[in-house]
């Protein structure tokens, strides 16, 4: 088992975890996003920005295990999310349908929930100053609303790193594991009744 901080799963995570156990190869609970980037791009700054956001949010560094018969999330201290660059040429770079097929293939690849991160990213180079940044995250780690947060924070960190500065994001008052603990405590005993 990976070592790190152990938290219970929230009620929503418990449902998703169970559904994933029933169909482990299913991509039904993968959330994906893609952002087209036009103009000069520092791949190094984008990779640093992605990993700074993963470091910031414990949920993005979580893996999932059974402990005493119950699923738990383990937040690992540090993970590195690679950012492979795929250069698209010919019809793949010009055709939106071809790009959608490539992105769909990224979404379909299963996650091993016992290995953090359950998030992956790719950068597709369509032309020297035209890219598509794509990412896939398991729904156990994020929801649709939090994908917007992820994109905004990566953008803010990218701007800072590309300018040679440190990102200036406000500290997070709580992490998702804190919410899961609060929810489990609230639902214990008479709370659930």
């Amino acid at each position: 088992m990976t070592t790190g901080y152990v938290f219970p799963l929230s009620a929503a995570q418990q449902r998703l975890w169970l559904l994933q156990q029933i169909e482990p190869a299913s991509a039904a609970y993968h959330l994906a996003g893609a952002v087209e980037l036009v103009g000069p791009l520092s791949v190094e700054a984008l990779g640093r920005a992605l990993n700074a956001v993963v470091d910031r949010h414990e949920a993005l560094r979580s893996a999932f295990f059974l402990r005493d018969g119950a699923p738990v999330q383990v937040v690992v201290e540090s993970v590195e999310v690679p950012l492979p660059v795929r250069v698209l040429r010919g019809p793949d770079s010009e055709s939106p349908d071809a790009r959608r097929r490539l992105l769909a293939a990224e979404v379909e690849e299963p996650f091993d929930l016992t290995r953090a991160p359950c998030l992956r990213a790719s950068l597709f180079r369509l032309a020297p100053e035209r890219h598509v940044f794509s990412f896939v995250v398991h729904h156990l780690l994020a929801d649709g609303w939090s994908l917007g947060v992820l994109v905004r924070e990566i953008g803010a960190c990218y701007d800072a790193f590309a300018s040679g500065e440190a990102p200036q994001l406000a500290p997070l008052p709580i992490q998702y594991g804190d919410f899961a603990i609060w929810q489990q405590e609230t639902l214990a005993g008479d709370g659930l009744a």
Side-chain angles (χ1 to χ4, degrees):
M1 177 195 248
T2 302
T3 58
Y5 302 107
V6 179
F7 293 99
L9 272 59
S10 69
Q13 285 178 313
Q14 288 176 10
R15 288 188 299 273
L16 287 167
W17 182 86
L18 178 61
L19 291 168
Q20 191 68 51
Q21 300 310 300
I22 294 168
E23 287 189 76
S26 173
Y29 302 103
H30 295 182
L31 303 175
V35 179
E36 187 167 353
L37 307 169
V38 178
L41 178 72
S42 167
V43 175
E44 187 266 339
L46 183 58
R48 286 181 65 198
L50 170 64
N51 281 287
V53 172
V54 169
D55 285 345
R56 175 176 163 77
H57 295 277
E58 291 178 353
L60 297 176
R61 293 183 279 119
S62 293
F64 300 86
F65 298 92
L66 278 177
R67 182 175 178 187
D68 299 326
V72 295
Q73 56 189 316
V74 177
V75 177
V76 298
E77 286 293 323
S78 177
V79 294
E80 182 75 20
V81 179
L83 183 60
V85 178
R86 297 176 59 187
V87 179
L88 303 185
R89 292 189 172 86
D92 285 345
S93 66
E94 298 302 321
S95 164
D97 287 337
R99 289 195 301 266
R100 274 193 284 279
R101 282 192 302 275
L102 289 168
L103 293 172
E106 299 266 324
V107 171
E108 291 298 318
E109 185 180 331
F111 286 105
D112 176 355
L113 297 179
T114 65
R115 296 190 69 215
C118 296
L119 172 140
R120 60 181 163 265
S122 294
L123 185 65
F124 296 92
R125 179 172 289 146
L126 310 177
E129 292 195 358
R130 195 161 155 243
H131 299 80
V132 174
F133 170 69
S134 73
F135 58 91
V136 181
V137 62
H138 197 284
H139 198 8
L140 280 163
L141 309 182
D143 59 14
W145 180 83
S146 56
L147 292 184
V149 172
L150 180 68
V151 170
R152 281 192 305 277
E153 288 189 2
I154 290 172
C157 289
Y158 173 82
D159 289 342
F161 288 135
S163 300
E165 300 172 5
Q168 300 296 317
L169 298 175
L172 296 174
I174 64 169
Q175 296 281 344
Y176 193 78
D178 300 318
F179 166 75
I181 290 170
W182 170 83
Q183 186 182 58
Q184 292 296 317
E185 290 172 351
T186 301
L187 296 178
D190 293 337
L192 185 57

